[in-house]
Amino acid sequence: MMRRCPLCAESTTALYHQDRRRDYYQCATCKLVFVPPEQHLSAVAEKAEYDKHQNSSHDKGYRRFLGRLFAPLLAKLTPGRRGLDFGSGPGPTLSIMFAEQGHPMTIYDPFFAPDVSALTQKYDFITATEVIEHLSQPGQVLIQLAAQLVPGGYLGLMTKRVSSHDAFARWHYISDPTHISFFSEETFRWWAQKHTFAVEFPGPDTVILHKTLT
C-alpha cells in the first residue's frame, strides 16, 4: 500500500519500526515518522486518554515544564503581544503564564475548548505544547497556524524529537497510543525552509519558528 506522508504529502515512505501494537513509517522527503491512519485511536478513545491528565495552572512543576518553551519565547516578545495556545488541553496553563506577563492569549482545543472562531484570527505568537505528536494531519495544521501568524510572528512548539533509529526502538514516547507523528530536528528544518520560517531549538524538546517579514 502506498502511504502518503501526513506532513509533506509525498509517497516516499517506508517502514521504519514495528512493535507489538503499531507500525511506524518514515518519509524520505521530510523525515517525519508516523503511525498509519488505520492504527489511530478513535476520537472517543483519544479523549479518554486526555481525560486522565491532571495538569493545573497551580502546579509549580507543570509550570516549570512549560517554562522550557515559555522562557525563550517570552524573551522574543515586545510588550502587549497577542497569542493563541493551540491544543490547550483540559487545564490551560501556558495562556495564564503569558497573560501574567502582559500577553493575552486565546485558547483552542478540539476536545476541551472547541471554539473555532479562535482559528479565524491573526496572532503575534502561537504555542502548541505537546500537541503536534498527536496530529493525524500535521501538515495541514502547521500551514493553518502559519497563516494565522502576522509577519514577524512566532510559532513555539514543544515535542520530543526523533534522534536515531536505535533510540526510537527504545523510546518511551512511542508507547503513548495518542502519539502518532514524530518530528526530528531535520524535519523541522525541512518545514521551516519550505515555508520561509527561521528556526531555532532552545532545548531538546522545544522549537521556535519565526515567520519572516518577506
Side-chain angles (χ1 to χ4, degrees), residues 16-132:
Y16 183 71
H17 177 67
Q18 283 179 305
D19 57 29
R20 287 177 295 178
R21 295 184 309 160
R22 304 191 297 183
D23 302 320
Y24 306 84
Y25 289 80
Q26 186 175 48
C27 176
T29 300
C30 68
K31 303 302 181 184
L32 185 80
V33 179
F34 63 94
V35 174
E38 68 271 16
Q39 296 178 5
H40 295 181
L41 295 180
S42 68
V44 172
E46 185 180 0
K47 183 177 184 297
E49 290 292 322
Y50 301 148
D51 284 337
K52 297 175 184 177
H53 296 180
Q54 300 295 321
N55 299 328
S56 165
S57 61
H58 303 294
D59 184 335
K60 292 180 180 179
Y62 186 46
R63 281 183 170 238
R64 280 195 301 273
F65 169 73
L66 294 175
R68 303 209 291 263
L69 178 63
F70 172 73
L73 182 53
L74 178 66
K76 296 180 179 298
L77 302 179
T78 55
R81 297 300 89 193
R82 182 168 169 268
L84 169 68
D85 187 13
F86 181 84
S88 52
T93 300
L94 196 59
S95 55
I96 295 173
M97 294 166 65
F98 275 106
E100 290 169 349
Q101 299 298 319
H103 303 291
M105 291 191 83
T106 301
I107 63 171
Y108 173 79
D109 189 285
F111 294 110
F112 302 103
D115 182 358
V116 294
S117 68
L119 305 180
T120 65
Q121 303 171 47
K122 295 281 189 177
Y123 301 96
D124 300 300
F125 67 102
I126 297 173
T127 61
T129 55
E130 294 290 318
V131 170
I132 61 172

